[in-house]
Coordinates of all heavy atoms in Angstrom, one line a residue:
I431 N -184.9 -223.4 -141.8 CA -185.3 -224.5 -142.7 C -186.8 -224.7 -142.7 O -187.4 -224.8 -143.8 CB -184.6 -225.8 -142.3 CG1 -183.1 -225.6 -142.2 CG2 -184.9 -226.9 -143.3 CD1 -182.4 -225.0 -143.4
Y467 N -178.1 -221.9 -145.9 CA -178.0 -221.9 -144.5 C -177.9 -223.4 -144.0 O -177.2 -223.6 -143.0 CB -179.2 -221.2 -143.8 CG -179.0 -219.8 -143.6 CD1 -179.7 -218.8 -144.4 CD2 -178.2 -219.3 -142.6 CE1 -179.5 -217.5 -144.3 CE2 -178.0 -217.9 -142.5 CZ -178.7 -217.0 -143.3 OH -178.5 -215.7 -143.1
G473 N -180.7 -229.0 -146.9 CA -180.9 -228.4 -148.3 C -181.6 -229.5 -149.2 O -182.5 -229.1 -150.0
L527 N -175.4 -215.4 -152.4 CA -176.7 -215.8 -152.8 C -176.9 -215.3 -154.3 O -177.5 -216.0 -155.1 CB -177.7 -215.1 -151.9 CG -179.2 -215.3 -152.3 CD1 -179.6 -216.7 -152.1 CD2 -180.1 -214.3 -151.6
A540 N -185.2 -217.3 -169.1 CA -184.8 -217.6 -170.5 C -185.3 -219.0 -171.0 O -185.2 -219.4 -172.1 CB -183.3 -217.5 -170.7
I544 N -185.0 -221.1 -174.6 CA -184.1 -222.3 -174.7 C -184.9 -223.5 -175.2 O -184.5 -224.3 -176.0 CB -183.4 -222.6 -173.4 CG1 -182.5 -221.3 -173.1 CG2 -182.5 -223.8 -173.6 CD1 -181.9 -221.3 -171.7
Y563 N -188.9 -208.6 -163.0 CA -189.1 -209.8 -162.2 C -187.7 -210.3 -161.6 O -187.6 -210.6 -160.4 CB -189.7 -210.9 -163.1 CG -189.8 -212.3 -162.4 CD1 -190.4 -212.4 -161.2 CD2 -189.3 -213.4 -163.1 CE1 -190.5 -213.7 -160.6 CE2 -189.4 -214.7 -162.5 CZ -190.0 -214.8 -161.2 OH -190.1 -216.0 -160.7
V568 N -184.0 -210.8 -157.1 CA -182.7 -210.7 -156.6 C -182.7 -209.8 -155.4 O -182.1 -210.0 -154.3 CB -181.7 -210.2 -157.7 CG1 -180.4 -209.7 -157.1 CG2 -181.5 -211.3 -158.7
F580 N -180.3 -210.3 -139.3 CA -180.7 -209.3 -138.2 C -181.4 -210.1 -137.1 O -181.1 -210.0 -135.9 CB -181.7 -208.3 -138.8 CG -182.0 -207.2 -137.8 CD1 -181.0 -206.3 -137.4 CD2 -183.3 -207.1 -137.3 CE1 -181.4 -205.3 -136.5 CE2 -183.6 -206.2 -136.3 CZ -182.7 -205.2 -136.0
C615 N -167.2 -210.6 -89.7 CA -168.4 -209.8 -89.9 C -168.2 -208.9 -91.0 O -167.2 -208.1 -91.0 CB -168.8 -209.1 -88.7 SG -168.9 -210.0 -87.2
G650 N -180.6 -202.0 -98.0 CA -181.2 -200.8 -98.6 C -181.4 -199.7 -97.6 O -181.8 -198.6 -98.0
Q671 N -165.2 -191.9 -94.3 CA -163.8 -191.8 -94.8 C -163.6 -192.7 -95.9 O -162.9 -192.4 -96.9 CB -162.8 -192.1 -93.6 CG -162.6 -191.0 -92.6 CD -162.1 -189.7 -93.2 OE1 -162.9 -188.8 -93.4 NE2 -160.8 -189.7 -93.4
T694 N -162.0 -200.7 -92.6 CA -163.0 -200.2 -93.6 C -162.2 -199.8 -94.9 O -161.1 -199.3 -94.8 CB -163.6 -198.9 -93.1 OG1 -162.7 -198.1 -92.4 CG2 -164.8 -199.2 -92.1
G726 N -148.7 -214.6 -72.2 CA -147.8 -213.7 -71.5 C -147.6 -214.2 -70.1 O -146.4 -214.3 -69.6
G783 N -136.3 -234.4 -51.0 CA -137.3 -235.0 -51.9 C -138.1 -234.0 -52.7 O -138.3 -234.1 -53.9
D810 N -139.7 -254.8 -62.0 CA -138.5 -254.3 -61.3 C -139.0 -253.5 -60.0 O -138.4 -253.6 -59.0 CB -137.8 -253.3 -62.1 CG -136.9 -254.0 -63.1 OD1 -136.8 -255.2 -63.1 OD2 -136.3 -253.3 -64.0
I826 N -151.4 -256.0 -53.4 CA -151.2 -255.5 -54.7 C -151.6 -256.6 -55.7 O -151.3 -257.8 -55.5 CB -149.8 -255.0 -54.9 CG1 -149.5 -253.8 -54.1 CG2 -149.5 -254.7 -56.4 CD1 -148.1 -253.3 -54.2
R883 N -155.5 -248.8 -60.1 CA -156.8 -248.6 -59.4 C -156.6 -248.9 -57.9 O -155.9 -249.8 -57.5 CB -157.7 -249.6 -60.0 CG -159.2 -249.5 -59.6 CD -160.1 -250.5 -60.3 NE -160.2 -250.2 -61.7 CZ -159.9 -251.1 -62.6 NH1 -159.4 -252.3 -62.3 NH2 -160.0 -250.8 -63.9
C916 N -146.2 -236.6 -62.9 CA -146.7 -237.7 -63.8 C -147.2 -237.1 -65.1 O -147.0 -237.7 -66.1 CB -147.9 -238.4 -63.0 SG -147.3 -239.4 -61.7
G934 N -165.4 -242.4 -51.7 CA -165.7 -243.6 -50.8 C -165.5 -244.9 -51.6 O -165.5 -246.0 -51.0

Side-chain angles (χ1 to χ4, degrees):
I431 306 305
Y467 274 106
L527 176 72
I544 297 169
Y563 172 52
V568 166
F580 185 71
C615 307
Q671 286 299 101
T694 42
D810 283 355
I826 294 180
R883 186 177 293 121
C916 289

